[in-house]
């Protein structure tokens, strides 16, 4: 009788463990991929941008007076309607600027200003899937976004292009770099500012740092759930694998004080790229703050890279 209850207890504990893992997987996936509730509040985004980068306000006002800042909507191959801000100055060079996790196009107008005003580029700044004014129910962490970014390149292609992403946008840029580029682009280069090596690596680090938990079993079960629900897994969403395959020139930027996407990831990505690469570790810069902390050098590094 004692042995019977022992095994019943073991089975109950196992069942509770399975239920806890399944429940935890749903929670983790929703936590990681849930869009911002107020993502369409563009006024709040502009206020946030102007508070951090006051110089952007005058630039935006000037563009609006000239009707040079355009809200653009396109239909993606998936059928979704996506939004971008587009600044045209009639150049044969265009920059595609990709924002980070739970950000939007407006949050990265400071980089759009850099390209348009200082480097003489047209600029396209999309709202990625499930961000800003673009349709979508769940964040894709850059993996499926690479195809949307490829479509933006096709729509706005010019002779010379640069894809510049920050954080999740940096990972998107790297993942995109291994794809076949649209015909008609003669020179395309990529800038990764603090992008992660893979979604698996990033979530594994956050699971450990925020919750003090190992990757097994929760990360494995959550990745499987993501595959079932959204058609992709954390392991396949790898910027590292794309960087190993791409032949395009790439500039890696990473803050030396980044703990959200550890600086070591930037170094690993740089090492994985065979050739045509540059690296700048921005002293003392936290995550996605390299431009804010070192504006002149940031512009100088990007200018030298895209020449």
């Amino acid at each position: 009788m004692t042995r019977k209850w022992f095994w019943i207890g073991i089975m109950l504990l196992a069942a509770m463990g399975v239920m806890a893992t399944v429940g935890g997987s749903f929670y983790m996936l929703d936590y990681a991929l849930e869009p911002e509730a107020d993502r369409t509040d563009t006024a709040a985004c502009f206020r946030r941008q102007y508070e951090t980068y006051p110089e952007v306000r005058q630039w935006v006002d000037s563009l609006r007076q000239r009707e040079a800042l355009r809200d653009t909507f396109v239909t993606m191959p998936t059928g979704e309607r996506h939004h971008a801000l587009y600044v045209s100055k009639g150049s044969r060079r265009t920059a595609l600027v990709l924002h980070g996790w739970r950000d939007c196009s407006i949050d990265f107008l400071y980089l759009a200003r850099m390209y348009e005003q200082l480097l003489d580029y047209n600029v396209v700044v999309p709202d990625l899937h499930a961000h800003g004014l673009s349709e979508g129910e769940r964040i894709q962490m850059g993996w499926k976004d690479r195809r949307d970014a490829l479509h933006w390149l096709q729509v706005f292609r010019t002779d010379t292009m640069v894809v510049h992403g920050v954080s999740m946008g940096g990972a998107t840029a790297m993942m995109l770099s291994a794809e076949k580029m649209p015909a008609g682009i003669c020179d395309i280069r990529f800038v990764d500012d603090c992008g992660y090596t893979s979604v698996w690596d990033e979530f594994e680090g956050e699971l450990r740092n925020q919750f003090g938990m190992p990757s097994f079993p929760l990360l494995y079960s959550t990745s499987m759930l993501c595959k079932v629900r959204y058609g992709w897994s954390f392991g396949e969403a790898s910027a590292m694998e794309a960087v190993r395959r791409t032949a395009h020139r790439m500039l890696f930027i990473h803050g030396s004080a980044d703990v959200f996407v550890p600086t070591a990831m930037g170094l690993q990505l740089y090492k994985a790229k065979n050739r045509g690469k540059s690296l700048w570790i921005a002293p003392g810069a936290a995550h996605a703050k390299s431009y804010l902390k070192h504006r002149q050098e940031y512009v100088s590094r990007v200018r030298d890279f895209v020449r």
Side-chain angles (χ1 to χ4, degrees), residues 98-130:
L98 302 175
H99 64 72
W101 181 70
R102 289 183 175 168
D103 292 322
C104 69
S105 55
I106 298 167
D107 292 320
F108 286 80
L109 283 175
Y110 69 92
L111 285 181
R113 174 182 171 272
M114 177 188 75
Y115 275 103
E116 192 272 345
Q117 198 170 68
L118 305 180
L119 302 178
D120 199 34
Y121 275 69
N122 310 319
V123 191
V124 184
V125 194
D127 287 325
L128 297 177
H129 174 95

PDB file of all heavy atoms in Angstrom, residues 98-130:
ATOM      1  N   LEU A  98      15.642  50.180 -38.983  1.00  0.00           N
ATOM      2  CA  LEU A  98      14.780  49.200 -38.325  1.00  0.00           C
ATOM      3  C   LEU A  98      14.831  49.365 -36.810  1.00  0.00           C
ATOM      4  O   LEU A  98      15.904  49.354 -36.212  1.00  0.00           O
ATOM      5  CB  LEU A  98      15.221  47.783 -38.708  1.00  0.00           C
ATOM      6  CG  LEU A  98      15.219  47.484 -40.217  1.00  0.00           C
ATOM      7  CD1 LEU A  98      15.798  46.105 -40.474  1.00  0.00           C
ATOM      8  CD2 LEU A  98      13.822  47.606 -40.801  1.00  0.00           C
ATOM      9  N   HIS A  99      13.657  49.490 -36.208  1.00  0.00           N
ATOM     10  CA  HIS A  99      13.551  49.774 -34.778  1.00  0.00           C
ATOM     11  C   HIS A  99      13.668  48.509 -33.925  1.00  0.00           C
ATOM     12  O   HIS A  99      13.729  47.386 -34.426  1.00  0.00           O
ATOM     13  CB  HIS A  99      12.233  50.485 -34.479  1.00  0.00           C
ATOM     14  CG  HIS A  99      11.003  49.647 -34.767  1.00  0.00           C
ATOM     15  ND1 HIS A  99      10.624  48.575 -33.991  1.00  0.00           N
ATOM     16  CD2 HIS A  99      10.058  49.738 -35.746  1.00  0.00           C
ATOM     17  CE1 HIS A  99       9.515  48.036 -34.459  1.00  0.00           C
ATOM     18  NE2 HIS A  99       9.155  48.722 -35.536  1.00  0.00           N
ATOM     19  N   GLY A 100      13.645  48.710 -32.611  1.00  0.00           N
ATOM     20  CA  GLY A 100      13.797  47.624 -31.662  1.00  0.00           C
ATOM     21  C   GLY A 100      12.489  47.060 -31.141  1.00  0.00           C
ATOM     22  O   GLY A 100      11.398  47.453 -31.568  1.00  0.00           O
ATOM     23  N   TRP A 101      12.609  46.139 -30.189  1.00  0.00           N
ATOM     24  CA  TRP A 101      11.489  45.426 -29.577  1.00  0.00           C
ATOM     25  C   TRP A 101      10.544  46.399 -28.884  1.00  0.00           C
ATOM     26  O   TRP A 101      10.956  47.206 -28.059  1.00  0.00           O
ATOM     27  CB  TRP A 101      12.064  44.422 -28.582  1.00  0.00           C
ATOM     28  CG  TRP A 101      11.092  43.563 -27.847  1.00  0.00           C
ATOM     29  CD1 TRP A 101      10.332  42.562 -28.368  1.00  0.00           C
ATOM     30  CD2 TRP A 101      10.817  43.593 -26.436  1.00  0.00           C
ATOM     31  NE1 TRP A 101       9.595  41.961 -27.369  1.00  0.00           N
ATOM     32  CE2 TRP A 101       9.882  42.576 -26.170  1.00  0.00           C
ATOM     33  CE3 TRP A 101      11.287  44.372 -25.376  1.00  0.00           C
ATOM     34  CZ2 TRP A 101       9.391  42.319 -24.892  1.00  0.00           C
ATOM     35  CZ3 TRP A 101      10.799  44.127 -24.102  1.00  0.00           C
ATOM     36  CH2 TRP A 101       9.863  43.106 -23.873  1.00  0.00           C
ATOM     37  N   ARG A 102       9.273  46.339 -29.246  1.00  0.00           N
ATOM     38  CA  ARG A 102       8.217  47.184 -28.689  1.00  0.00           C
ATOM     39  C   ARG A 102       8.448  48.682 -28.916  1.00  0.00           C
ATOM     40  O   ARG A 102       7.891  49.512 -28.214  1.00  0.00           O
ATOM     41  CB  ARG A 102       8.010  46.891 -27.200  1.00  0.00           C
ATOM     42  CG  ARG A 102       7.356  45.536 -26.934  1.00  0.00           C
ATOM     43  CD  ARG A 102       7.093  45.313 -25.458  1.00  0.00           C
ATOM     44  NE  ARG A 102       6.361  44.063 -25.252  1.00  0.00           N
ATOM     45  CZ  ARG A 102       6.198  43.493 -24.053  1.00  0.00           C
ATOM     46  NH1 ARG A 102       6.696  44.066 -22.979  1.00  0.00           N
ATOM     47  NH2 ARG A 102       5.518  42.376 -23.942  1.00  0.00           N
ATOM     48  N   ASP A 103       9.256  49.016 -29.905  1.00  0.00           N
ATOM     49  CA  ASP A 103       9.440  50.401 -30.316  1.00  0.00           C
ATOM     50  C   ASP A 103       8.586  50.664 -31.551  1.00  0.00           C
ATOM     51  O   ASP A 103       7.758  49.834 -31.934  1.00  0.00           O
ATOM     52  CB  ASP A 103      10.914  50.684 -30.610  1.00  0.00           C
ATOM     53  CG  ASP A 103      11.781  50.640 -29.365  1.00  0.00           C
ATOM     54  OD1 ASP A 103      11.316  51.101 -28.307  1.00  0.00           O
ATOM     55  OD2 ASP A 103      12.922  50.145 -29.446  1.00  0.00           O
ATOM     56  N   CYS A 104       8.817  51.797 -32.200  1.00  0.00           N
ATOM     57  CA  CYS A 104       8.118  52.095 -33.444  1.00  0.00           C
ATOM     58  C   CYS A 104       9.012  52.976 -34.307  1.00  0.00           C
ATOM     59  O   CYS A 104      10.104  53.381 -33.885  1.00  0.00           O
ATOM     60  CB  CYS A 104       6.778  52.779 -33.174  1.00  0.00           C
ATOM     61  SG  CYS A 104       6.928  54.455 -32.519  1.00  0.00           S
ATOM     62  N   SER A 105       8.557  53.279 -35.501  1.00  0.00           N
ATOM     63  CA  SER A 105       9.345  54.070 -36.439  1.00  0.00           C
ATOM     64  C   SER A 105       9.718  55.435 -35.856  1.00  0.00           C
ATOM     65  O   SER A 105      10.856  55.901 -36.020  1.00  0.00           O
ATOM     66  CB  SER A 105       8.569  54.259 -37.743  1.00  0.00           C
ATOM     67  OG  SER A 105       7.288  54.826 -37.496  1.00  0.00           O
ATOM     68  N   ILE A 106       8.795  56.069 -35.143  1.00  0.00           N
ATOM     69  CA  ILE A 106       9.024  57.413 -34.605  1.00  0.00           C
ATOM     70  C   ILE A 106      10.185  57.412 -33.608  1.00  0.00           C
ATOM     71  O   ILE A 106      10.949  58.380 -33.527  1.00  0.00           O
ATOM     72  CB  ILE A 106       7.738  57.954 -33.955  1.00  0.00           C
ATOM     73  CG1 ILE A 106       6.639  58.080 -35.006  1.00  0.00           C
ATOM     74  CG2 ILE A 106       7.979  59.295 -33.279  1.00  0.00           C
ATOM     75  CD1 ILE A 106       5.248  58.295 -34.423  1.00  0.00           C
ATOM     76  N   ASP A 107      10.336  56.314 -32.871  1.00  0.00           N
ATOM     77  CA  ASP A 107      11.404  56.233 -31.872  1.00  0.00           C
ATOM     78  C   ASP A 107      12.793  56.305 -32.495  1.00  0.00           C
ATOM     79  O   ASP A 107      13.782  56.562 -31.791  1.00  0.00           O
ATOM     80  CB  ASP A 107      11.285  54.935 -31.073  1.00  0.00           C
ATOM     81  CG  ASP A 107      10.057  54.900 -30.187  1.00  0.00           C
ATOM     82  OD1 ASP A 107       9.737  55.937 -29.590  1.00  0.00           O
ATOM     83  OD2 ASP A 107       9.405  53.842 -30.098  1.00  0.00           O
ATOM     84  N   PHE A 108      12.891  56.089 -33.801  1.00  0.00           N
ATOM     85  CA  PHE A 108      14.202  56.076 -34.442  1.00  0.00           C
ATOM     86  C   PHE A 108      14.346  57.156 -35.503  1.00  0.00           C
ATOM     87  O   PHE A 108      15.179  57.057 -36.412  1.00  0.00           O
ATOM     88  CB  PHE A 108      14.497  54.672 -34.996  1.00  0.00           C
ATOM     89  CG  PHE A 108      14.832  53.713 -33.892  1.00  0.00           C
ATOM     90  CD1 PHE A 108      13.830  53.149 -33.138  1.00  0.00           C
ATOM     91  CD2 PHE A 108      16.145  53.438 -33.559  1.00  0.00           C
ATOM     92  CE1 PHE A 108      14.116  52.302 -32.088  1.00  0.00           C
ATOM     93  CE2 PHE A 108      16.450  52.603 -32.511  1.00  0.00           C
ATOM     94  CZ  PHE A 108      15.441  52.029 -31.758  1.00  0.00           C
ATOM     95  N   LEU A 109      13.575  58.218 -35.341  1.00  0.00           N
ATOM     96  CA  LEU A 109      13.736  59.360 -36.236  1.00  0.00           C
ATOM     97  C   LEU A 109      15.095  60.033 -36.056  1.00  0.00           C
ATOM     98  O   LEU A 109      15.575  60.708 -36.968  1.00  0.00           O
ATOM     99  CB  LEU A 109      12.612  60.369 -36.009  1.00  0.00           C
ATOM    100  CG  LEU A 109      11.258  59.984 -36.614  1.00  0.00           C
ATOM    101  CD1 LEU A 109      10.192  60.988 -36.222  1.00  0.00           C
ATOM    102  CD2 LEU A 109      11.358  59.864 -38.130  1.00  0.00           C
ATOM    103  N   TYR A 110      15.721  59.850 -34.907  1.00  0.00           N
ATOM    104  CA  TYR A 110      17.060  60.426 -34.724  1.00  0.00           C
ATOM    105  C   TYR A 110      18.049  59.828 -35.714  1.00  0.00           C
ATOM    106  O   TYR A 110      18.950  60.531 -36.215  1.00  0.00           O
ATOM    107  CB  TYR A 110      17.542  60.243 -33.278  1.00  0.00           C
ATOM    108  CG  TYR A 110      17.864  58.836 -32.860  1.00  0.00           C
ATOM    109  CD1 TYR A 110      19.163  58.337 -32.975  1.00  0.00           C
ATOM    110  CD2 TYR A 110      16.894  57.996 -32.330  1.00  0.00           C
ATOM    111  CE1 TYR A 110      19.477  57.046 -32.589  1.00  0.00           C
ATOM    112  CE2 TYR A 110      17.197  56.720 -31.927  1.00  0.00           C
ATOM    113  CZ  TYR A 110      18.484  56.236 -32.063  1.00  0.00           C
ATOM    114  OH  TYR A 110      18.791  54.955 -31.671  1.00  0.00           O
ATOM    115  N   LEU A 111      17.891  58.540 -36.033  1.00  0.00           N
ATOM    116  CA  LEU A 111      18.761  57.936 -37.046  1.00  0.00           C
ATOM    117  C   LEU A 111      18.331  58.344 -38.450  1.00  0.00           C
ATOM    118  O   LEU A 111      19.172  58.515 -39.334  1.00  0.00           O
ATOM    119  CB  LEU A 111      18.752  56.413 -36.918  1.00  0.00           C
ATOM    120  CG  LEU A 111      19.540  55.822 -35.760  1.00  0.00           C
ATOM    121  CD1 LEU A 111      19.450  54.300 -35.771  1.00  0.00           C
ATOM    122  CD2 LEU A 111      21.004  56.267 -35.793  1.00  0.00           C
ATOM    123  N   ALA A 112      17.041  58.507 -38.651  1.00  0.00           N
ATOM    124  CA  ALA A 112      16.566  59.001 -39.952  1.00  0.00           C
ATOM    125  C   ALA A 112      17.146  60.380 -40.226  1.00  0.00           C
ATOM    126  O   ALA A 112      17.573  60.679 -41.346  1.00  0.00           O
ATOM    127  CB  ALA A 112      15.038  59.044 -39.963  1.00  0.00           C
ATOM    128  N   ARG A 113      17.157  61.225 -39.216  1.00  0.00           N
ATOM    129  CA  ARG A 113      17.748  62.559 -39.353  1.00  0.00           C
ATOM    130  C   ARG A 113      19.225  62.463 -39.706  1.00  0.00           C
ATOM    131  O   ARG A 113      19.719  63.212 -40.564  1.00  0.00           O
ATOM    132  CB  ARG A 113      17.565  63.356 -38.064  1.00  0.00           C
ATOM    133  CG  ARG A 113      18.284  64.702 -38.062  1.00  0.00           C
ATOM    134  CD  ARG A 113      18.093  65.425 -36.743  1.00  0.00           C
ATOM    135  NE  ARG A 113      18.940  66.610 -36.664  1.00  0.00           N
ATOM    136  CZ  ARG A 113      20.188  66.609 -36.212  1.00  0.00           C
ATOM    137  NH1 ARG A 113      20.741  65.467 -35.775  1.00  0.00           N
ATOM    138  NH2 ARG A 113      20.893  67.723 -36.187  1.00  0.00           N
ATOM    139  N   MET A 114      19.942  61.569 -39.052  1.00  0.00           N
ATOM    140  CA  MET A 114      21.361  61.400 -39.347  1.00  0.00           C
ATOM    141  C   MET A 114      21.563  61.069 -40.827  1.00  0.00           C
ATOM    142  O   MET A 114      22.403  61.683 -41.506  1.00  0.00           O
ATOM    143  CB  MET A 114      21.953  60.282 -38.481  1.00  0.00           C
ATOM    144  CG  MET A 114      23.423  59.983 -38.768  1.00  0.00           C
ATOM    145  SD  MET A 114      24.054  58.518 -37.900  1.00  0.00           S
ATOM    146  CE  MET A 114      23.293  57.198 -38.869  1.00  0.00           C
ATOM    147  N   TYR A 115      20.796  60.142 -41.348  1.00  0.00           N
ATOM    148  CA  TYR A 115      20.975  59.732 -42.744  1.00  0.00           C
ATOM    149  C   TYR A 115      20.524  60.813 -43.719  1.00  0.00           C
ATOM    150  O   TYR A 115      21.197  61.068 -44.723  1.00  0.00           O
ATOM    151  CB  TYR A 115      20.220  58.419 -43.010  1.00  0.00           C
ATOM    152  CG  TYR A 115      21.022  57.198 -42.632  1.00  0.00           C
ATOM    153  CD1 TYR A 115      20.755  56.510 -41.457  1.00  0.00           C
ATOM    154  CD2 TYR A 115      22.062  56.740 -43.436  1.00  0.00           C
ATOM    155  CE1 TYR A 115      21.501  55.385 -41.089  1.00  0.00           C
ATOM    156  CE2 TYR A 115      22.813  55.620 -43.088  1.00  0.00           C
ATOM    157  CZ  TYR A 115      22.532  54.953 -41.917  1.00  0.00           C
ATOM    158  OH  TYR A 115      23.277  53.857 -41.553  1.00  0.00           O
ATOM    159  N   GLU A 116      19.401  61.453 -43.438  1.00  0.00           N
ATOM    160  CA  GLU A 116      18.886  62.448 -44.387  1.00  0.00           C
ATOM    161  C   GLU A 116      19.668  63.748 -44.340  1.00  0.00           C
ATOM    162  O   GLU A 116      20.072  64.282 -45.382  1.00  0.00           O
ATOM    163  CB  GLU A 116      17.401  62.720 -44.073  1.00  0.00           C
ATOM    164  CG  GLU A 116      16.668  63.517 -45.147  1.00  0.00           C
ATOM    165  CD  GLU A 116      16.777  65.016 -44.953  1.00  0.00           C
ATOM    166  OE1 GLU A 116      17.162  65.470 -43.844  1.00  0.00           O
ATOM    167  OE2 GLU A 116      16.478  65.763 -45.900  1.00  0.00           O
ATOM    168  N   GLN A 117      19.904  64.253 -43.144  1.00  0.00           N
ATOM    169  CA  GLN A 117      20.496  65.582 -43.010  1.00  0.00           C
ATOM    170  C   GLN A 117      22.011  65.564 -43.110  1.00  0.00           C
ATOM    171  O   GLN A 117      22.614  66.482 -43.682  1.00  0.00           O
ATOM    172  CB  GLN A 117      20.075  66.185 -41.663  1.00  0.00           C
ATOM    173  CG  GLN A 117      20.266  67.691 -41.585  1.00  0.00           C
ATOM    174  CD  GLN A 117      19.606  68.261 -40.347  1.00  0.00           C
ATOM    175  OE1 GLN A 117      20.046  68.009 -39.226  1.00  0.00           O
ATOM    176  NE2 GLN A 117      18.539  69.040 -40.537  1.00  0.00           N
ATOM    177  N   LEU A 118      22.645  64.532 -42.588  1.00  0.00           N
ATOM    178  CA  LEU A 118      24.106  64.509 -42.515  1.00  0.00           C
ATOM    179  C   LEU A 118      24.766  63.632 -43.581  1.00  0.00           C
ATOM    180  O   LEU A 118      25.917  63.873 -43.940  1.00  0.00           O
ATOM    181  CB  LEU A 118      24.548  64.041 -41.126  1.00  0.00           C
ATOM    182  CG  LEU A 118      23.980  64.846 -39.937  1.00  0.00           C
ATOM    183  CD1 LEU A 118      24.497  64.266 -38.629  1.00  0.00           C
ATOM    184  CD2 LEU A 118      24.343  66.319 -40.063  1.00  0.00           C
ATOM    185  N   LEU A 119      24.045  62.625 -44.088  1.00  0.00           N
ATOM    186  CA  LEU A 119      24.661  61.686 -45.023  1.00  0.00           C
ATOM    187  C   LEU A 119      24.009  61.705 -46.409  1.00  0.00           C
ATOM    188  O   LEU A 119      24.438  60.965 -47.293  1.00  0.00           O
ATOM    189  CB  LEU A 119      24.611  60.261 -44.445  1.00  0.00           C
ATOM    190  CG  LEU A 119      25.294  60.084 -43.081  1.00  0.00           C
ATOM    191  CD1 LEU A 119      25.139  58.646 -42.593  1.00  0.00           C
ATOM    192  CD2 LEU A 119      26.770  60.465 -43.154  1.00  0.00           C
ATOM    193  N   ASP A 120      22.967  62.526 -46.595  1.00  0.00           N
ATOM    194  CA  ASP A 120      22.356  62.741 -47.907  1.00  0.00           C
ATOM    195  C   ASP A 120      21.674  61.487 -48.460  1.00  0.00           C
ATOM    196  O   ASP A 120      21.822  61.144 -49.624  1.00  0.00           O
ATOM    197  CB  ASP A 120      23.397  63.257 -48.903  1.00  0.00           C
ATOM    198  CG  ASP A 120      22.747  63.927 -50.103  1.00  0.00           C
ATOM    199  OD1 ASP A 120      21.693  64.547 -49.933  1.00  0.00           O
ATOM    200  OD2 ASP A 120      23.293  63.806 -51.219  1.00  0.00           O
ATOM    201  N   TYR A 121      20.909  60.822 -47.616  1.00  0.00           N
ATOM    202  CA  TYR A 121      20.155  59.626 -48.000  1.00  0.00           C
ATOM    203  C   TYR A 121      18.650  59.900 -47.937  1.00  0.00           C
ATOM    204  O   TYR A 121      18.184  60.655 -47.081  1.00  0.00           O
ATOM    205  CB  TYR A 121      20.448  58.473 -47.033  1.00  0.00           C
ATOM    206  CG  TYR A 121      21.674  57.653 -47.348  1.00  0.00           C
ATOM    207  CD1 TYR A 121      22.951  58.180 -47.215  1.00  0.00           C
ATOM    208  CD2 TYR A 121      21.553  56.315 -47.750  1.00  0.00           C
ATOM    209  CE1 TYR A 121      24.081  57.417 -47.477  1.00  0.00           C
ATOM    210  CE2 TYR A 121      22.675  55.543 -48.010  1.00  0.00           C
ATOM    211  CZ  TYR A 121      23.930  56.095 -47.876  1.00  0.00           C
ATOM    212  OH  TYR A 121      25.042  55.334 -48.135  1.00  0.00           O
ATOM    213  N   ASN A 122      17.883  59.252 -48.818  1.00  0.00           N
ATOM    214  CA  ASN A 122      16.472  59.046 -48.544  1.00  0.00           C
ATOM    215  C   ASN A 122      16.388  58.078 -47.362  1.00  0.00           C
ATOM    216  O   ASN A 122      17.301  57.265 -47.159  1.00  0.00           O
ATOM    217  CB  ASN A 122      15.750  58.401 -49.736  1.00  0.00           C
ATOM    218  CG  ASN A 122      16.012  59.106 -51.039  1.00  0.00           C
ATOM    219  OD1 ASN A 122      16.052  60.327 -51.113  1.00  0.00           O
ATOM    220  ND2 ASN A 122      16.213  58.322 -52.110  1.00  0.00           N
ATOM    221  N   VAL A 123      15.285  58.110 -46.627  1.00  0.00           N
ATOM    222  CA  VAL A 123      15.169  57.226 -45.466  1.00  0.00           C
ATOM    223  C   VAL A 123      13.787  56.598 -45.402  1.00  0.00           C
ATOM    224  O   VAL A 123      12.769  57.284 -45.583  1.00  0.00           O
ATOM    225  CB  VAL A 123      15.435  57.969 -44.137  1.00  0.00           C
ATOM    226  CG1 VAL A 123      15.567  56.969 -42.985  1.00  0.00           C
ATOM    227  CG2 VAL A 123      16.673  58.830 -44.220  1.00  0.00           C
ATOM    228  N   VAL A 124      13.758  55.295 -45.148  1.00  0.00           N
ATOM    229  CA  VAL A 124      12.523  54.562 -44.883  1.00  0.00           C
ATOM    230  C   VAL A 124      12.622  53.987 -43.473  1.00  0.00           C
ATOM    231  O   VAL A 124      13.587  53.277 -43.154  1.00  0.00           O
ATOM    232  CB  VAL A 124      12.314  53.407 -45.885  1.00  0.00           C
ATOM    233  CG1 VAL A 124      10.971  52.717 -45.644  1.00  0.00           C
ATOM    234  CG2 VAL A 124      12.426  53.895 -47.316  1.00  0.00           C
ATOM    235  N   VAL A 125      11.632  54.310 -42.623  1.00  0.00           N
ATOM    236  CA  VAL A 125      11.625  53.785 -41.256  1.00  0.00           C
ATOM    237  C   VAL A 125      10.299  53.053 -41.046  1.00  0.00           C
ATOM    238  O   VAL A 125       9.274  53.673 -40.762  1.00  0.00           O
ATOM    239  CB  VAL A 125      11.781  54.898 -40.201  1.00  0.00           C
ATOM    240  CG1 VAL A 125      12.118  54.292 -38.834  1.00  0.00           C
ATOM    241  CG2 VAL A 125      12.840  55.909 -40.614  1.00  0.00           C
ATOM    242  N   PRO A 126      10.282  51.722 -41.191  1.00  0.00           N
ATOM    243  CA  PRO A 126       9.022  50.981 -41.066  1.00  0.00           C
ATOM    244  C   PRO A 126       8.638  50.733 -39.606  1.00  0.00           C
ATOM    245  O   PRO A 126       9.488  50.693 -38.715  1.00  0.00           O
ATOM    246  CB  PRO A 126       9.338  49.638 -41.751  1.00  0.00           C
ATOM    247  CG  PRO A 126      10.727  49.746 -42.284  1.00  0.00           C
ATOM    248  CD  PRO A 126      11.399  50.859 -41.584  1.00  0.00           C
ATOM    249  N   ASP A 127       7.344  50.562 -39.395  1.00  0.00           N
ATOM    250  CA  ASP A 127       6.850  49.899 -38.201  1.00  0.00           C
ATOM    251  C   ASP A 127       6.839  48.406 -38.512  1.00  0.00           C
ATOM    252  O   ASP A 127       6.124  47.973 -39.428  1.00  0.00           O
ATOM    253  CB  ASP A 127       5.426  50.352 -37.870  1.00  0.00           C
ATOM    254  CG  ASP A 127       5.374  51.770 -37.321  1.00  0.00           C
ATOM    255  OD1 ASP A 127       6.308  52.158 -36.603  1.00  0.00           O
ATOM    256  OD2 ASP A 127       4.393  52.481 -37.607  1.00  0.00           O
ATOM    257  N   LEU A 128       7.624  47.624 -37.789  1.00  0.00           N
ATOM    258  CA  LEU A 128       7.652  46.198 -38.049  1.00  0.00           C
ATOM    259  C   LEU A 128       6.334  45.552 -37.622  1.00  0.00           C
ATOM    260  O   LEU A 128       5.506  46.161 -36.938  1.00  0.00           O
ATOM    261  CB  LEU A 128       8.835  45.560 -37.323  1.00  0.00           C
ATOM    262  CG  LEU A 128      10.223  46.049 -37.767  1.00  0.00           C
ATOM    263  CD1 LEU A 128      11.324  45.417 -36.937  1.00  0.00           C
ATOM    264  CD2 LEU A 128      10.455  45.777 -39.261  1.00  0.00           C
ATOM    265  N   HIS A 129       6.133  44.328 -38.031  1.00  0.00           N
ATOM    266  CA  HIS A 129       4.929  43.552 -37.725  1.00  0.00           C
ATOM    267  C   HIS A 129       4.558  43.676 -36.238  1.00  0.00           C
ATOM    268  O   HIS A 129       5.403  43.479 -35.358  1.00  0.00           O
ATOM    269  CB  HIS A 129       5.205  42.088 -38.078  1.00  0.00           C
ATOM    270  CG  HIS A 129       4.137  41.122 -37.697  1.00  0.00           C
ATOM    271  ND1 HIS A 129       3.150  40.721 -38.572  1.00  0.00           N
ATOM    272  CD2 HIS A 129       3.896  40.455 -36.541  1.00  0.00           C
ATOM    273  CE1 HIS A 129       2.364  39.854 -37.974  1.00  0.00           C
ATOM    274  NE2 HIS A 129       2.790  39.671 -36.733  1.00  0.00           N
ATOM    275  N   ALA A 130       3.298  44.049 -35.969  1.00  0.00           N
ATOM    276  CA  ALA A 130       2.767  44.180 -34.600  1.00  0.00           C
ATOM    277  C   ALA A 130       3.390  45.332 -33.831  1.00  0.00           C
ATOM    278  O   ALA A 130       3.387  45.333 -32.600  1.00  0.00           O
ATOM    279  CB  ALA A 130       2.918  42.874 -33.821  1.00  0.00           C
TER     280      ALA A 130
END
